[in-house]
Amino acid sequence: MPAPDDNGFAGMRRNMVTYQIEARGVHAENVLAAMRHVPRHLFLPESLRWAAYDDTPVSIGRGQTISQPYIVARMTELLELDPDSTVLEIGTGSGYQAAVLAEIAHEVWTIERYGDLAREAERLLEGLGYQNVHVIVGDGTLGCAEAAPFDAIIVTAAAPHVPTALAEQLSEGGRLVIPVGDTSVQELRQYRKQGDAFKEARVLDCRFVPLVGRDAFGESRDGTP
Ligand code: SAM
């Protein structure tokens, strides 16, 4: 796995984990270790790297964001991953969340609707040595039937409801973590598949950019033509 380009960022990363993540109650050691290790600053445009370890989302272009570190940690913890897990992420963005998942899980599929963001994330993930991440360009609301079922699915954009294909592509006992609401505020939820039913846990209020696709919000929601 990658040897992070540190240049003084290592201390900022340790503080991020201690004061923003552990202090707010995320204690899963695999999540804390991954977030201490992945060089978050490399996933940002060079001019914004100074903000990489701040307690906030940061712009990555195309009107999209890399999520706040605490939200990345909390969502990853809710996936309950182990080294054998297979994971699907919807919303590759910068590729940072995919790198955190790849540190913990066996194999990660990640889907991004913008080709340029996906290619840049793929280049970076490859450069950092992640061989267990597959980056796909497309509409993530349809999932990835070829690689299903998944032990865990994470949606990193705001959805009006759980997309049908994602519910279908979860394995028995699998976890789906998703922000559900309107385009201004959402509720982060964890669903656990139990036979034909889903056990739902409502976790916290949050704010994500919209999930735009066939089984989510329409394209006009993020200004795309
Ligand atoms: N996980 C990302 C990271 O670590 O940088 C942050 C994701 S950003 C908050 C949400 C991403 O979801 C954006 O890059 C956006 O283009 C993408 N997105 C929105 N709707 C999508 C869809 N239907 N399929 C795939 N990606 C989508």
Side-chain angles (χ1 to χ4, degrees), residues 40 43 60-62 64-67 72 89-98 110-114 117 136 138-142 156-158 208-214 216 222:
R40 179 174 161 95
F43 291 84
I60 55 170
R62 288 234 174 236
Q64 307 304 317
T65 53
I66 180 174
S67 303
V72 173
E89 179 194 23
I90 311 305
T92 313
S94 69
Y96 173 70
Q97 172 78 72
T110 179
I111 307 179
E112 171 56 52
R113 64 188 290 263
Y114 285 115
L117 290 182
I136 297 164
D139 178 1
T141 66
L142 307 177
T156 64
F208 279 82
V209 295
L211 182 70
V212 175
R214 289 252 298 274
D222 74 347

Side-chain angles (χ1 to χ4, degrees), residues 58-130:
V58 183
S59 175
I60 55 170
R62 288 234 174 236
Q64 307 304 317
T65 53
I66 180 174
S67 303
Q68 180 191 18
Y70 167 66
I71 290 292
V72 173
R74 193 82 168 92
M75 291 178 84
T76 308
E77 184 174 60
L78 289 165
L79 293 173
E80 300 174 17
L81 302 176
D82 65 39
D84 295 325
S85 302
T86 55
V87 191
L88 174 66
E89 179 194 23
I90 311 305
T92 313
S94 69
Y96 173 70
Q97 172 78 72
V100 170
L101 299 172
E103 288 281 336
I104 301 170
H106 178 57
E107 210 151 16
V108 178
W109 282 262
T110 179
I111 307 179
E112 171 56 52
R113 64 188 290 263
Y114 285 115
D116 54 351
L117 290 182
R119 279 188 293 276
E120 178 58 20
E122 187 174 42
R123 189 193 60 75
L124 190 53
L125 290 161
E126 272 176 22
L128 288 169
Y130 291 105

Side-chain angles (χ1 to χ4, degrees), residues 71 157-161 178-189 202-211 217 221:
I71 290 292
H161 53 258
I178 182 170
V180 179
D182 59 29
T183 50
S184 43
V185 67
Q186 308 90 39
E187 192 174 60
L188 184 63
R189 297 184 188 166
R202 299 182 174 213
V203 181
L204 49 78
D205 290 338
C206 56
R207 246 167 221 267
F208 279 82
V209 295
L211 182 70
F217 294 110
R221 295 302 187 135

Side-chain angles (χ1 to χ4, degrees), residues 149-152 167-175 191-199:
F150 300 95
D151 299 314
E168 287 170 357
Q169 292 175 20
L170 204 55
S171 63
E172 176 60 27
R175 288 77 54 201
Y191 291 91
R192 189 183 303 273
K193 192 166 189 166
Q194 295 179 330
D196 289 336
F198 286 87
K199 187 174 163 210

